[in-house]
């Protein structure tokens, strides 16, 4: 049982454009867009047309590859100076996911090793952006393999937000073992939180699992604890936007509440993410910068105002789950259990 | 600082109709409707035009008063036989809230004491329906007084769903002490969960608090735990639809998750409800029948489909919070602390 992989972001062979799936339009419409300008990619990241920590890393590297095409006629040093300025803007598109800054820094370091000319700089960045995508594909597969070993057969997995094929080059982080179980003919079903305010669980996770033939049940975010109290759940699988050196994990708002519910019900709570999500420079969760987004995401749903005009809202995009609530962190390098202390990379 | 009370449901003086606020239209529009038929009241209860456990008790009694007008020309026995059949339908409109069955049973017991004729039965039911409303007003005030004593000044209160003026004849159950604090000139602000799927927190609690000048911040349901982790919260106040004899409490889905978050953060978790919400015949939470509602409440928001077609959903209207997570139950009779064991009424 397989299905065509989703490609949420793909750099063109000539490195002059990037094709994305506009995830704001799902599930109503499957729309792909071709972006030619760095600012269009930044906008796509900021508006969550492209989202998911690994995917926005790939998008960030692709944006740098597009930018480098403007400096093929200058010397390598001039190209690099300009690209570093652009990289600062790209990396700032969203502040919490470490993958974005990591990918931008990586292609700039690759570029810095080129001393010939701007054309060679551009070629090096394009090749590195492609490598980041290829590594991400392999990463998804490795996470799937490591996490699959933790699941019974059949298994019921609960997840939050979308850390699936729409969030990575491959079959996702949190959903990678789900797809692996399904492909292996195991019994697997998923309970997906709808994930307000932007409903990535209802719109994206349910869409891609249903498309792949994996049974999925959508619940509202408030139902996770009640579901655990009345049904058997074998594991919670979530992604991560940044993991501090001590294991504290920033992920989509609501992850922390779900971790508390899992703890109360003895359900193992796993964070699945590329090794690059671990930020050794951030000692613990309270040092993670949390992005706050516009009030209209909370005050309006599908264009309809649901909160009365003039009422305040609070809208952090992420929360921090303390390491103590995390059973294990599963990366492409394996299964990491508490204590999670990570040294410098 | 006062404000005009909201009257979510009001029996006409001639007992031939009931006026309701159609809460499905808030906050966009304030619409009142005049209902003349029992089936219209049942429909209003089932569709949540009238909602909130105390208010649907008042609506149920009012529906019986309207029904009794059809039997003023018959003998008392015939009237009662027919009204008991109608009462079964009214009480079944929503299965979880104990107040609905309690109110219907109460007016039928009142009617059973009348032996003269159907007109006297109708008069007795109308008077008792009015008494239920008057007692509910007093109940709100008493709950407000008892709970106010538990709050510091200033205080931040978190709440879920709507247990305010739109849910009772008075100023609510969970919100009664909030209004009492505001009227007393104390510092009081509220953090309101939006309460998916039907958004009673965003649409109703925020609307009525903002209307009354009480500062209110709306969060999505997934944010409660994260809010507690990053802000001082003095208490969680929620209502109840049914309280078992051991204190286990059925309330709007998501209440249990919020209770887990409150416990994790040492925030007192209070259930505020009329004494009549305590169902001595239900020994514990697992015996409470939980109403499950239609999938479209989860699959659609404001008329827009957010869950892909063909995907399953789970949509219980309520969950059960174990007594062990409840700091105190506050009724019109006072503050009840664990153990909550209640004998027969």
């Amino acid at each position: 049982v397989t299905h065509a992989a989703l490609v949420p972001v793909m750099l063109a062979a000539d490195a002059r454009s990037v094709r994305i799936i506009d995830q704001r339009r799902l599930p109503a419409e499957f729309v792909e867009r071709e972006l030619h300008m760095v600012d269009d990619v930044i906008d796509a990241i900021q508006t969550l047309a492209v989202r998911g920590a690994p995917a926005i890393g790939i998008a960030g590297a692709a944006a740098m590859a597009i930018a480098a095409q403007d400096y093929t006629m200058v010397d390598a040093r001039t190209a690099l100076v300009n690209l570093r300025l652009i990289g600062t803007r790209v990396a700032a598109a969203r502040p919490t996911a470490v993958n974005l800054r990591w990918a931008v820094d990586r292609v700039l370091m690759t570029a810095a090793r080129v001393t010939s000319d701007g054309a060679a700089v551009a070629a090096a960045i394009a090749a590195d952006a492609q490598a980041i995508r290829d590594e991400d594909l392999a990463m998804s597969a490795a996470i799937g393999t490591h996490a699959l070993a933790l699941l019974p057969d059949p298994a019921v997995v609960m997840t939050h937000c979308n850390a699936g094929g729409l969030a990575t080059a491959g079959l996702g982080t949190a959903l990678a073992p789900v797809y692996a179980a399904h492909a292996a003919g195991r019994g697997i079903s998923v309970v997906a939180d709808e994930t307000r305010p932007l409903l990535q669980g209802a719109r994206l996770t349910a869409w891609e699992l249903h498309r792949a033939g994996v049974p999925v049940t959508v619940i509202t975010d408030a139902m996770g604890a009640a579901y655990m109290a009345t049904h058997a759940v074998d594991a919670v699988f979530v992604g991560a936007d940044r993991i501090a050196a001590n294991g504290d994990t920033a992920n989509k708002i609501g992850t922390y509440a779900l971790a508390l519910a899992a703890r109360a019900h003895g359900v193992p709570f796993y964070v699945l993410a590329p090794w690059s999500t671990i930020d050794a420079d951030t000692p613990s969760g309270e040092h993670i910068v949390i992005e706050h987004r516009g009030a209209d995401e909370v005050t309006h749903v599908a264009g309809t105002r649901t909160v009365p005009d003039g009422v305040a809202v609070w809208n952090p995009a992420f929360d921090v789950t303390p390491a103590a609530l995390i059973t294990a962190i599963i990366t492409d390098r394996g299964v990491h259990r508490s204590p999670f202390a990570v040294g410098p990379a």
Side-chain angles (χ1 to χ4, degrees), chain A:
Chain A
V1 186
T2 59
H3 66 283
L6 292 163
V7 183
V9 51
M10 167 77 86
L11 181 65
D14 65 3
R16 292 191 177 277
S17 65
V18 56
R19 198 183 65 234
I20 66 160
I21 298 171
D22 188 342
Q23 300 188 35
R24 298 168 301 185
R25 308 285 284 274
L26 288 169
E29 296 176 295
F30 184 85
V31 175
E32 292 187 299
R33 291 171 58 206
E34 196 83 19
L35 309 177
H36 297 267
M37 309 288 290
V38 172
D39 283 341
D40 292 338
V41 182
I42 291 174
D43 183 68
I45 293 170
Q46 288 178 328
T47 61
L48 278 55
V50 172
R51 31 67 51 204
I56 66 176
I58 296 168
M64 295 305 296
I66 294 175
Q69 295 298 319
D70 288 341
Y71 302 98
T72 54
M73 309 296 281
V74 301
D75 65 282
R77 181 174 202 82
T78 303
L80 194 61
V81 166
N82 282 282
L83 289 170
R84 282 185 173 140
L85 290 172
I86 294 168
T88 302
R89 284 201 300 123
V90 173
R94 295 195 71 193
T96 302
V98 72
N99 311 60
L100 182 58
R101 171 162 293 284
W102 169 86
V104 169
D105 286 349
R106 172 171 156 169
V107 299
L108 285 172
M109 284 206 292
T110 297
R113 286 194 289 269
V114 177
T115 52
S116 50
D117 56 30
V121 166
I125 290 180
D128 204 28
Q130 187 59 42
I132 287 174
R133 181 188 170 276
D134 293 344
E135 292 164 23
D136 192 70
L137 255 171
M139 171 278 297
S140 275
I143 289 174
T145 302
H146 294 311
L148 184 60
L150 301 171
L151 277 184
D153 178 14
V156 177
V157 169
M158 190 175 284
T159 191
H160 188 69
C161 197
N162 175 266
L166 287 166
T168 69
L171 292 174
T173 53
L175 297 190
V178 169
Y179 288 120
H182 189 62
R186 292 196 188 193
I188 182 83
S189 63
V190 174
V191 178
D193 288 349
E194 64 173 3
T195 317
R196 279 276 289 148
L198 294 182
L199 297 164
Q200 292 95 333
R203 295 190 303 108
L204 307 180
T205 294
W207 179 81
E208 66 166 87
L209 288 172
H210 188 60
R211 173 177 176 272
V214 178
V216 53
T217 299
V218 172
I219 60 174
T220 69
D221 301 329
M223 294 177 187
Y227 194 93
M228 291 180 191
T230 54
H231 299 72
V233 175
D234 296 297
V236 176
F237 283 173
V238 297
D241 289 78
R242 188 181 298 243
I243 301 173
N246 73 339
D248 291 350
T249 295
N251 190 48
K252 179 58 53 193
I253 185 73
T255 301
Y256 171 49
L258 196 59
L260 289 174
R263 173 58 52 97
H265 291 282
V267 176
F269 186 89
Y270 298 111
V271 171
L272 295 82
W275 179 259
S276 60
T277 311
I278 300 171
D279 180 9
D281 297 333
T282 298
S284 61
E286 71 262 33
H287 299 281
I288 298 176
V289 175
I290 299 294
E291 173 188 4
H292 285 253
R293 296 182 61 84
D296 57 332
E297 291 183 354
V298 175
T299 57
H300 290 70
V301 187
T304 299
R305 176 174 276 281
T306 57
V307 176
D309 201 18
V311 169
V313 303
W314 185 63
N315 186 23
F318 307 95
D319 58 25
V320 174
T321 299
L325 293 175
I326 300 171
T327 308
I329 296 172
I330 301 156
T331 74
D332 37 309
R333 299 194 186 179
V335 178
H336 316 280
R337 292 182 187 272
S338 179
F340 296 113
V342 172

